[in-house]
Amino acid sequence: MSAKKAILSRITPDGLGYLVDKRSHEIFHFTFDKIPNYRGESTEQLGLVKGDDVSYESDDDGQVTKVIIPIRSSKKMFAW
């Protein structure tokens, strides 16, 4: 599976996001648990903003299985 490019079109405080595929313009929804290493953070803590460029993967049925969000330069992330 390869990642597809999308734009984050809407996010809700309770952990639901909508994205628009940049190529097909289809709208998909996802829950925040599809974001790798998600641990219950708020949208503010994740740094999610409407209009963000994201990447996603989906299964054969069109269900989003993974969402890769942009890494903000103000956040320091470490891989131990």
Side-chain angles (χ1 to χ4, degrees):
M1 237 187 281
S2 63
K4 300 169 195 162
K5 304 288 184 186
I7 294 174
L8 190 62
S9 64
R10 182 175 168 218
I11 48 176
T12 66
D14 57 343
L16 186 62
Y18 295 86
L19 51 86
V20 178
D21 184 278
K22 285 188 172 185
R23 194 169 225 193
S24 70
H25 304 288
E26 286 183 80
I27 298 171
F28 296 93
H29 69 276
F30 66 94
T31 51
F32 288 5
D33 65 328
K34 301 300 186 271
I35 300 169
N37 302 315
Y38 175 70
R39 300 289 182 259
E41 299 92 338
S42 68
T43 55
E44 292 83 20
Q45 290 169 317
L46 289 170
L48 287 175
V49 178
K50 180 180 173 180
D52 277 344
D53 286 320
V54 296
S55 298
Y56 75 99
E57 294 176 0
S58 59
D59 63 18
D60 293 336
D61 295 325
Q63 299 296 311
V64 175
T65 57
K66 184 177 184 180
V67 176
I68 299 101
I69 62 173
I71 297 174
R72 304 282 183 223
S73 59
S74 61
K75 289 184 180 179
K76 296 200 183 230
M77 299 186 74
F78 299 95
W80 302 107

